[in-house]
Amino acid sequence: MAKNKLLRMDNVGIAVESLDDAISFFTEIGLKLEGRATIEGEWAGRVTGLDSQCVEIAMMITPDGHSRLELSKFITPAAISDHRNAPVNSLGYLRAMFTVGDIDELVSRLLKHGAQLVGEVVQYENSYKLCYIRAKDGLLIGLAEQLSNQ
């Protein structure tokens, strides 16, 4: 059997409570809304295992065009569990990490939008400044600023 050749990672999906709030939050980080659609019907449920479903999605894209974040707001069936406030050592989906130009400036803007710093902004050696934040709806996001080696 020939090996399958991985072509790329297409996107990471996150289920959200408010699509508009999530779009606004990720736009503030620097992603752009690529498109928005409603996905429904028996065919979609066969993919996800949820039978018939109706979900509104928004595809967000990074400025370099290489990475996407698919935000999903499930209309039916309704969400059945909530992992947004799980501690960072929980199993399963934890966070998405974004590299930014000025972490302190971005954190300041995100705090004004209701985000909370999980710990602190810390510096790792002379390489990175890093932090975790939670959006006002509880999504865990990592931020990294690569430092110059001057």
Side-chain angles (χ1 to χ4, degrees):
M1 186 158 95
K3 287 190 172 186
N4 185 16
K5 181 180 176 188
L6 178 67
L7 301 178
R8 70 174 184 264
M9 185 181 90
D10 193 59
N11 67 66
V12 172
I14 300 175
V16 298
E17 190 169 16
S18 168
L19 203 55
D20 291 331
D21 287 349
I23 291 168
S24 177
F25 178 78
F26 287 107
T27 298
E28 190 70 33
I29 289 176
L31 280 76
K32 293 186 179 174
L33 179 63
E34 186 177 40
R36 199 169 171 163
T38 299
I39 308 297
E40 61 187 322
E42 179 267 336
W43 73 269
R46 288 194 349 249
V47 173
T48 61
L50 294 176
D51 297 322
S52 185
Q53 70 180 36
C54 181
V55 59
E56 188 178 1
I57 66 163
M59 193 65 74
M60 306 292 294
I61 189 167
T62 57
D64 64 5
H66 294 293
S67 301
R68 288 175 176 77
L69 190 62
E70 181 180 309
L71 305 171
S72 301
K73 163 68 173 137
F74 280 86
I75 299 162
T76 57
I80 60 167
S81 63
D82 191 340
H83 304 286
R84 291 177 291 182
N85 293 309
V88 298
N89 60 340
S90 299
L91 299 176
Y93 160 75
L94 291 178
R95 57 132 178 93
M97 177 71 78
F98 298 96
T99 300
V100 300
D102 184 341
I103 198 169
D104 296 316
E105 186 274 333
L106 180 57
V107 167
S108 176
R109 284 191 291 127
L110 294 175
L111 293 176
K112 292 176 186 173
H113 284 271
Q116 294 181 328
L117 210 52
V118 172
E120 310 172 30
V121 177
V122 298
Q123 185 168 324
Y124 171 70
E125 297 180 351
N126 291 322
S127 301
Y128 285 94
K129 286 175 78 173
L130 304 157
C131 72
Y132 283 177
I133 59 168
R134 283 203 188 272
K136 73 178 181 179
D137 68 355
L139 294 176
L140 183 62
I141 304 300
L143 300 175
E145 176 185 344
Q146 187 169 7
L147 304 173
S148 62
N149 293 331
Q150 299 178 4

